[in-house]
Amino acid sequence: MVYIKSQIGIKYKRMNFLRRHWYDIGGILAIVAIPLLYWYQSHLTHYQLLMWLSIVSLFFHQLEEYRIVGTFPDMVNKVMFKSNIPDRFPLNTNTSLVINVYIGWLTYLLAALAGQQFIWLGMATILVSLGNIIAHTFVFNIKGRTLYNAGMATSWLFLTPCVYFFFKIIHQEHLVTTTDYIIGIPLGIIINVVGVFKPIQWMANKETTFIFKKS
């Protein structure tokens, strides 16, 4: 019994570490990935290279939101949901982990690994990036009456070029089909809504212990 409790405690600590540092891990992965992509770029198609750069751009975007500036959770809870306990409700560290890592990293990684075989999956992730660009440029600034919010800089520096070159490449190299649009666009919308926005509401808990630390 003592052993089981000990293992549960260790697992909880590991998960809690991940909840508080997943974005730091993403930043490290991005820094490691850049020289590797530069080294192996001659072995990748334009589309493959773009999809790997897309996940790197996601890492940097999340790093700006949660670490470099770090005010994204507070802004979401205060501005979008008018919360009086913005350090935990409705967005908390566990919800953030699920949305950004289990959903975000996984879908972007699958799109990069799948490459040109499943353009529709790449299109779906690109629409998630587009959703971030729109949210950070217009929605958050209008709602918060600000000119800048955490995540806006990387939206324009990294996500926007990925969106632009994605559509340029798939059209110039004739990679896209009607089926890709039929599957990719609805899937992208679903991920934006069900995979990004809705979990904040579904997993909201005022009594949660998964609290954002004040910077």
Side-chain angles (χ1 to χ4, degrees):
M1 182 63 72
V2 174
Y3 174 78
I4 293 174
K5 287 183 177 180
S6 174
Q7 291 302 306
I8 292 174
I10 292 171
K11 185 177 181 180
Y12 177 82
K13 287 181 180 179
R14 287 175 179 172
M15 285 303 299
N16 213 34
F17 176 84
L18 189 58
R19 289 185 189 98
R20 296 190 183 281
H21 296 285
W22 59 264
Y23 36 88
D24 298 317
I25 296 170
I28 294 170
L29 291 174
I31 293 171
V32 172
I34 290 173
L36 288 176
L37 289 175
Y38 179 79
W39 184 265
Y40 287 105
Q41 63 177 312
S42 60
H43 301 285
L44 301 172
T45 65
H46 292 145
Y47 181 85
Q48 288 174 321
L49 180 60
L50 178 69
M51 285 293 95
W52 284 109
L53 288 175
S54 182
I55 191 171
V56 169
S57 74
L58 178 68
F59 291 149
F60 281 127
H61 177 64
Q62 294 168 335
L63 195 63
E64 181 191 4
E65 290 179 323
Y66 288 89
R67 174 62 70 195
I68 297 174
V69 179
T71 56
F72 179 76
D74 190 67
M75 177 199 64
V76 168
N77 288 340
K78 278 186 178 179
V79 174
M80 300 303 294
F81 294 96
K82 310 298 181 184
S83 175
N84 59 354
I85 43 173
D87 63 343
R88 72 196 72 184
F89 182 82
L91 180 66
N92 57 59
T93 59
N94 193 54
T95 309
S96 179
L97 174 68
V98 170
I99 293 172
N100 289 283
V101 177
Y102 298 161
I103 298 175
W105 290 14
L106 179 61
T107 53
Y108 276 67
L109 179 60
L110 289 175
L113 292 172
Q116 293 162 213
Q117 288 184 310
F118 301 111
I119 299 290
W120 53 266
L121 182 55
M123 186 177 295
T125 61
I126 285 296
L127 290 180
V128 172
S129 293
L130 180 59
N132 271 288
I133 295 167
I134 294 171
H136 283 281
T137 304
F138 301 106
V139 179
F140 297 145
N141 281 332
I142 291 172
K143 293 279 287 186
R145 297 181 181 180
T146 56
L147 295 176
Y148 167 82
N149 58 84
M152 184 176 169
T154 46
S155 289
W156 281 97
L157 288 173
F158 300 118
L159 300 184
T160 299
C162 285
V163 172
Y164 171 75
F165 283 108
F166 173 84
F167 287 104
K168 182 177 181 180
I169 288 170
I170 64 173
H171 282 288
Q172 283 189 344
E173 300 186 10
H174 307 289
L175 302 177
V176 69
T177 66
T178 302
T179 302
D180 291 317
Y181 283 113
I182 292 174
I183 300 176
I185 293 177
L187 181 59
I189 295 171
I190 290 170
I191 295 174
N192 270 302
V193 176
V194 179
V196 178
F197 181 72
K198 281 297 183 180
I200 297 176
Q201 297 175 315
W202 292 335
M203 300 177 70
N205 179 8
K206 290 185 177 181
E207 306 302 320
T208 185
T209 57
F210 304 130
I211 302 170
F212 291 104
K213 287 184 176 180
K214 291 184 179 180
S215 55

